[in-house]
Amino acid sequence: MTNSHSNTPAIETLRWTGANNADSPAGFLDGTLRLIDQTLLPTRFEERVCPRVEDVWEAIKTLRVRGAPAIGISAAYGVCVGLQTLFRAGEAPSEPIFFARLAEVTDYLASSRPTAVNLFWALDRMKAAADRHRGEDPLALAERLLSEARAIHEEDRLLCRAMGRFGAELVADGASLLTHCNAGGLATADYGTALAVFFAAHDSGKKIHVYADETRPLLQGARLTAWELSRRGIPVTVQCDSAAAMLMRQGKIDAVFVGADRIAANGDTANKIGTYSAAVSARYHRVPFYVVAPSSTFDLTLPTGEGIPIEQRDPDEIRRGFGPQTVPDGAAIYNPAFDVTPHELITGIVTEHGVISPVDEEHVRRVISPERTCRGN
Ligand code: MRU
């Protein structure tokens, strides 16, 4: 049985447009990165063109593009955009100049946001691809990097589908599910990580209802998750983050599914601030709590979540939010973008290879291959 909404097209969160390597003498030089400006959703749907690496950096920093996998893919294309300046003068750069610019661009993009490890994983992959082909003509090297970015993009689509399939098996027909932040198509190349589970369950004909935490302070749950679920015909209710515990107490939540920004070797998981509270509430109310993430979100160089860098964001996100000032000038503001949920609170981690459960270092290492993870940032 399949659902009538199974043909709803996935959102094209970001895309590379312009010449293909094969049909332009200038190779990838004519191309550029375009992404949906997520700061405008749900009331305005607009694409933003990023012709310079500075535009890609700004888009990541200000959350025009956000969500761990989408940040990684954008950064990979950002490297290509950043290399274009080398070829604009007409004369091909030398190999040392090419690699110096590559280092400059990757370091710069790495400074945009600290927590989502997919950013560093993607930049690592781009540098490794260039290193493998040292000695080739710089334009050929640059074209190889565009192919690598395209590969990262394409692979993410397949990973989303695989996670969706594994996760949907954990969802019963008629289930009522809670999620936090946005781990959907807008955060990936296809239809998400946590939301992939909901989409796959729905597409297979299961009736589900989703409770989306609004996700203070930037409202990714209210603005983005509710928008994605509604456009695919999945019933969704938005509540304040602080209402989640009461929903669980009322027996209205059968399971929680969230995404992740970085997962340590023991399974401790960084995700949007408020995830930890949801996990504590879920444990208290005996509701299963699942994290959904691809291998590229694991950081096996960190033994525990203690070492995960947590981004602190602008106090104005809390002081003014989306409207008038709501905090007096004299009050200090604490605005961490992420928190870490200890592995003991996680029932299972759904990956592209299957479900890790119980969640501990031994079971993580059985499923996640170190070659598919970040080498340390
Ligand atoms: O600050 P954001 O919006 O980038 O935070 C995003 C999240 O916390 C997501 O849950 C996470 O990146 C997983 S996305 C598949």
Side-chain angles (χ1 to χ4, degrees):
M1 181 175 41
T2 55
N3 194 288
S4 58
H5 291 280
S6 58
N7 291 329
T8 307
I11 305 157
E12 220 175 358
T13 298
L14 51 94
R15 61 198 176 105
W16 180 267
T17 55
N20 293 318
N21 294 351
D23 63 15
S24 165
F28 79 94
L29 289 180
D30 299 335
T32 192
L33 174 66
R34 287 163 196 266
L35 39 90
I36 297 171
D37 185 345
Q38 299 186 33
T39 62
L40 304 177
L41 286 170
T43 49
R44 276 164 64 198
F45 184 93
E46 278 177 30
E47 262 192 344
R48 194 169 178 96
V49 186
C50 296
R52 303 170 312 145
V53 66
E54 290 80 6
D55 302 314
V56 180
W57 188 95
E58 189 269 352
I60 295 173
K61 181 77 187 169
T62 62
L63 275 58
R64 295 185 199 285
V65 63
R66 29 71 47 208
I71 291 172
I73 302 162
S74 304
Y77 284 125
V79 171
C80 301
V81 169
L83 290 173
Q84 287 174 342
T85 54
L86 285 176
F87 302 93
R88 291 235 160 86
E91 208 171 295
S94 65
E95 183 176 288
I97 288 180
F98 177 90
F99 277 93
R101 175 67 179 159
L102 178 62
E104 182 181 48
V105 164
T106 51
D107 286 353
Y108 174 60
L109 287 165
S111 71
S112 56
R113 293 189 77 187
T115 305
V117 78
N118 304 60
L119 169 67
F120 309 101
W121 168 83
L123 294 172
D124 263 6
R125 235 180 105 160
M126 296 296 278
K127 286 185 280 189
D131 277 338
R132 276 198 305 280
H133 297 282
R134 267 181 196 270
E136 287 185 13
D137 165 64
L139 183 59
L141 272 177
E143 288 178 346
R144 282 195 187 278
L145 291 191
L146 178 59
S147 301
E148 191 69 15
R150 287 189 196 278
I152 291 171
H153 193 176
E154 185 52 36
E155 284 166 25
D156 191 62
R157 289 185 218 279
L158 305 175
L159 300 181
C160 290
R161 295 284 154 165
M163 287 181 279
R165 276 196 303 276
F166 285 119
E169 289 171 21
L170 303 166
V171 173
D173 190 16
S176 191
L177 307 160
L178 183 106
T179 191
H180 189 78
C181 195
N182 172 268
L186 290 166
T188 62
D190 190 65
Y191 69 176
T193 59
L195 293 201
V197 173
F198 303 164
F199 293 140
H202 176 75
D203 289 350
S204 72
K206 290 178 185 167
K207 286 202 180 347
I208 58 169
H209 186 104
V210 177
Y211 285 91
D213 281 346
E214 67 171 354
T215 315
R216 289 278 299 149
L218 294 182
L219 308 184
Q220 290 93 329
R223 295 187 303 106
L224 311 177
T225 296
W227 179 78
E228 282 196 46
L229 291 166
S230 312
R231 74 185 277 284
R232 288 184 80 109
I234 298 181
V236 55
T237 303
V238 177
Q239 67 286 334
C240 301
D241 304 349
S242 44
M246 195 163 88
L247 283 170
M248 292 184 206
R249 188 176 181 85
Q250 291 168 344
K252 290 197 176 138
I253 306 297
D254 296 308
V256 181
F257 287 87
V258 297
D261 287 85
R262 195 184 291 227
I263 305 175
N266 69 347
D268 289 354
T269 295
N271 191 51
K272 179 54 54 193
I273 188 75
T275 303
Y276 173 46
S277 310
V280 169
S281 300
R283 173 56 53 94
Y284 183 77
H285 296 98
R286 297 193 174 82
V287 172
F289 182 93
Y290 294 101
V291 169
V292 190
S295 299
S296 51
T297 303
F298 284 77
D299 182 349
L300 299 184
T301 68
L302 296 179
T304 74
E306 287 280 300
I308 298 178
I310 300 294
E311 178 182 12
Q312 299 290 326
R313 291 191 61 87
D314 188 340
D316 270 357
E317 291 178 353
I318 289 180
R319 184 176 285 116
R320 281 175 240 286
F322 290 84
Q325 181 167 343
T326 52
V327 182
D329 288 334
I333 283 175
Y334 176 53
N335 187 18
F338 302 96
D339 58 26
V340 176
T341 298
H343 64 103
E344 305 86 21
L345 296 181
I346 303 171
T347 311
I349 304 181
V350 181
T351 74
E352 74 273 27
H353 302 299
V355 182
I356 300 171
S357 184
V359 179
D360 56 26
E361 175 153 8
E362 185 197 330
H363 289 83
V364 166
R365 288 196 187 272
R366 273 193 210 169
V367 173
I368 302 299
S369 122
E371 297 81 60
R372 293 288 303 157
T373 65
C374 192
R375 287 169 295 172
N377 273 282

